[in-house]
């Protein structure tokens, strides 16, 4: 039992809410955030609540509001809502503390720690963001939360890094998605921790445990039809979703799986059997199980992970146990379905006799071991690129928000009203003023 308790439970959730702000989530989140609490009962005789919960959102609110940086109210509301629901449905009503929250345009991440297990040992909390849209804007990009848990294995403990991302859309743009990931690795940089002897900026891989999730937008790319087969590709993909055996065959056409096997993206990360649940995109709004025929069904919403005890020589195997990995079909407000995973971390490596004599700042937390051919390097222009993108976000966001405001919620009407108002002002300005002649005495 003691060894089980040493293995931290981490719950990850991700959901693209389709730009709906406060209307994007139902009031009761039990279907999304609670099932894994009961699944975890196999670990012991009693159900066990997660030690860490990380929830990511994409398309959090209307794009013009996100670009203008007007997301604080939505994020605060989500924080209260999520924490209330987690605590209400936890097996013993365990309480949680917000470790950090971060948002960039429509990508948001909230991380929580369980009060009676590790919350008091969390330190060196950091947040970061980066954009990989046009000119580094934040309509696509990633946000990250990084922190250290003291006295786990050694006095220095372990570093946890959570990254929520939203990559380029559309099936033909696989190369852009791969480029987005590489940009995130090079520009989502964290400052050195107080306990670190290395004072250089750290990439997301400079961590003991890494969790990368979100709307990664990789699609199911079906092979060309055989001669004489006139059936549309999206219909063929839908027909393969009915049972797990067919979905397991369909997974071989998943762009992410293929690019990962080729060493092009998400190097060193692992994933659970995503084919055990149906594709999470693209659904008809308001429907539980009907896909929109404009897109081929795809597993766009994913959760991947790595830990420092994983070996590059076994790329398919992780020492993190994937207890549960599933989607939630009952959510119908978005064209995506939310995804949730419960991950059981390996026990910490025991401290050596030499390490136990050192103070907390003398030690060094363990970090991931990557394939020898892959060496992630920080972009020296990362800060400049991020703030160029943010400046453009704000300029475009404020203009767009203004036009939407004067158009009573419609940007098109706002543009029309603006030009009508400008024309009226020009007419008034150029109209000569008629002065009445003075009366003759």
């Amino acid at each position: 039992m003691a060894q089980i308790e040493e293995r931290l439970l981490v719950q990850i959730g991700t959901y693209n809410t389709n730009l709906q702000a406060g209307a994007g989530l139902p009031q009761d989140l039990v279907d999304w955030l609670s099932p894994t609490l009961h699944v975890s009962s196999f670990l012991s005789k009693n159900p066990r609540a997660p030690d860490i919960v990380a929830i990511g959102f994409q398309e959090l609110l209307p794009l013009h509001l996100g670009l203008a940086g007007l997301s604080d109210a939505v994020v605060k509301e989500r924080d209260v809502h999520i924490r209330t629901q987690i605590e209400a449905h936890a097996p013993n009503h365990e309480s949680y503390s917000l470790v950090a929250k971060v948002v960039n345009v429509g990508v948001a991440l909230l991380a929580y720690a369980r009060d009676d297990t590790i919350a008091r040992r969390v330190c060196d909390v950091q947040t970061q963001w980066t954009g990989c849209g046009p000119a580094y804007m934040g309509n696509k990009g990633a946000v990250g939360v990084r922190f250290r848990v003291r006295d786990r294995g050694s006095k220095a403990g372990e570093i946890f890094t959570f990254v929520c991302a939203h990559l380029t859309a559309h099936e033909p743009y696989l190369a852009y998605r791969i480029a987005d990931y590489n940009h995130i690795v090079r520009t989502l940089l964290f400052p050195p921790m107080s306990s670190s002897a290395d004072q250089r900026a750290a990439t997301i891989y400079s961590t003991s445990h890494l969790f990368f999730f979100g709307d990664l937008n990789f699609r199911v790319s079906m092979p060309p039809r055989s001669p004489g087969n006139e059936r549309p590709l999206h219909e063929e993909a839908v027909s393969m979703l009915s049972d797990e055996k067919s979905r397991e065959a369909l997974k071989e056409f998943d762009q992410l799986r293929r690019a990962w096997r080729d060493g092009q993206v998400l190097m060193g990360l692992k994933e659970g059997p995503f084919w055990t649940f149906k594709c999470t995109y693209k659904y008809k709004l308001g429907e539980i199980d009907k896909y929109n025929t404009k897109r081929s069904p795809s597993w766009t919403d994913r959760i991947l992970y790595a830990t420092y005890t994983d070996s590059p020589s076994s790329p398919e195997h992780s020492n993190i146990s994937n207890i549960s990995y599933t989607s939630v079909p009952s959510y119908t407000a978005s064209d995506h379905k939310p995804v949730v995973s419960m991950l059981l971390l390996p026990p910490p490596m025991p401290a050596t006799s030499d390490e136990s004599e050192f103070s907390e700042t003398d030690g060094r937390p363990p970090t991931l071991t990557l394939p020898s051919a892959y060496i992630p390097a920080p972009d020296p222009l990362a800060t400049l690129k991020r703030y160029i993108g943010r400046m453009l976000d704000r300029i475009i966001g404020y203009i767009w928000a203004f036009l939407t405001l004067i158009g009573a919620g419609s940007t098109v009407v706002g543009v029309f009203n603006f030009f009508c108002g400008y024309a009226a002002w020009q007419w008034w300005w150029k109209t000569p003023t008629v002065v009445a002649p003075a009366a003759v005495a």
Side-chain angles (χ1 to χ4, degrees):
M1 181 67 179
Q3 186 180 12
I4 289 292
E5 293 300 330
E6 286 182 348
R7 301 188 66 180
L8 297 181
L9 277 171
V10 178
Q11 182 171 342
I12 308 287
T14 178
Y15 189 22
N16 182 318
T17 56
N18 197 28
L19 307 172
Q20 296 190 66
L25 283 181
Q27 287 301 307
D28 191 343
L29 302 181
V30 62
D31 289 345
W32 184 24
L33 300 183
S34 179
T36 52
L37 304 180
H38 303 290
V39 169
S40 66
S41 62
F42 86 93
L43 298 171
S44 59
K45 293 182 179 179
N46 299 312
R48 178 181 165 193
D51 300 287
I52 299 172
V53 178
I55 305 298
F57 294 98
Q58 309 82 43
E59 298 189 3
L60 177 70
L61 71 171
L63 185 55
H64 62 282
L65 299 180
L67 291 169
L70 304 176
S71 56
D72 285 350
V74 178
V75 174
K76 289 178 181 177
E77 184 273 333
R78 288 285 166 89
D79 170 31
V80 174
H81 189 187
I82 290 169
R83 195 175 354 175
T84 301
Q85 288 288 295
I86 292 173
E87 294 177 347
H89 298 298
N92 299 304
H93 299 287
E94 288 85 353
S95 62
Y96 288 80
S97 294
L98 176 69
V99 175
K101 63 179 184 285
V102 57
V103 60
N104 185 41
V105 186
V107 184
L109 174 58
L110 302 97
Y112 304 89
R114 187 171 144 186
D115 289 336
D116 62 343
T117 55
I118 71 163
R120 292 178 178 83
R121 290 186 285 145
V122 170
C123 62
D124 291 336
V125 178
Q126 301 171 344
T127 61
Q128 192 55 277
W129 52 269
T130 190
C132 49
Y136 313 115
M137 290 177 63
N139 59 307
K140 293 293 188 287
V143 294
V145 169
R146 185 177 185 237
F147 57 84
R148 183 167 60 92
V149 177
R150 298 189 304 264
D151 298 319
R152 179 164 166 78
S154 66
K155 287 186 177 296
E158 297 174 348
I159 300 172
F160 291 74
T161 302
F162 300 84
V163 179
C164 177
H166 191 192
L167 308 186
T168 298
H170 304 300
E171 182 179 340
Y173 297 152
L174 172 60
Y176 290 96
R177 285 185 279 281
I178 294 173
D180 286 348
Y181 179 76
N182 291 326
H183 178 78
I184 290 168
V185 171
R186 289 173 54 82
T187 61
L188 190 71
L189 305 177
F190 295 93
M193 289 190 167
S194 60
S195 61
S196 175
D198 188 350
Q199 293 302 298
R200 294 176 298 178
T203 72
I204 61 174
Y205 283 103
S206 297
T207 186
S208 308
H209 311 283
L210 174 60
F211 307 90
F212 195 99
F213 50 96
D215 179 6
L216 306 187
N217 258 321
F218 288 91
R219 306 305 173 95
V220 170
S221 187
M222 298 292 289
R225 290 184 293 266
S226 58
N229 183 1
E230 301 299 329
R231 190 180 192 183
L233 290 177
H234 71 269
E235 288 187 8
E236 189 171 344
V238 170
S239 69
M240 297 179 71
L241 297 175
S242 57
D243 60 86
E244 186 173 329
K245 185 176 180 181
S246 298
R247 292 196 297 270
E248 189 169 3
L250 186 64
K251 81 176 190 298
E252 298 304 322
F253 304 115
D254 175 64
Q255 291 180 337
L256 174 53
R257 186 169 177 82
R258 287 183 167 184
W260 175 82
R261 281 180 170 176
D262 293 340
Q264 296 179 304
V265 71
L266 294 155
M267 286 67 72
L269 289 158
K270 318 294 193 298
E271 185 180 17
F274 60 88
W275 56 91
T276 57
F277 54 89
K278 288 188 174 183
C279 292
T280 57
Y281 177 83
K282 176 179 173 87
Y283 284 84
K284 291 183 177 180
L285 297 180
E287 298 289 346
I288 292 177
D289 197 26
K290 288 185 179 180
Y291 288 97
N292 190 317
T293 56
K294 292 181 179 180
R295 302 281 191 275
S296 290
S298 298
W299 289 284
T300 56
D301 309 273
R302 311 288 275 270
I303 300 171
L304 295 96
Y305 47 85
T307 184
Y308 67 94
T309 58
D310 288 347
S311 172
S313 61
S314 303
E316 298 275 358
H317 171 75
S318 176
N319 290 318
I320 294 177
S321 301
N322 195 319
I323 298 172
S324 174
Y325 191 21
T326 189
S327 65
V328 185
S330 60
Y331 285 33
T332 61
S334 172
D335 51 1
H336 290 255
K337 300 297 183 183
V339 173
V340 62
S341 181
M342 179 70 85
L343 304 168
L344 181 64
L345 304 190
M349 298 288 287
T352 64
S353 58
D354 291 338
E355 288 176 331
S356 61
E357 298 174 358
F358 295 149
S359 67
E360 181 182 328
T361 55
D362 289 331
R364 179 176 297 179
T367 56
L368 302 179
T369 303
L370 299 176
S372 58
Y374 181 62
I375 304 175
D379 186 341
L381 300 178
T383 301
L384 176 63
K385 291 178 179 179
R386 291 192 306 112
Y387 281 98
I388 287 175
R390 173 150 290 186
M391 179 183 66
L392 293 173
D393 287 343
R394 296 298 182 263
I395 292 172
I396 294 175
Y398 288 139
I399 294 173
W400 191 350
F402 170 73
L403 293 174
T404 303
L405 178 65
I406 65 175
S410 170
T411 306
V412 174
V413 174
V415 172
F416 176 78
N417 288 345
F418 174 79
F419 281 108
C420 286
Y422 178 76
W425 177 80
Q426 286 284 77
W427 174 83
W428 177 84
W429 183 256
K430 293 179 180 180
T431 300
T433 303
V434 179
V435 179
V440 177

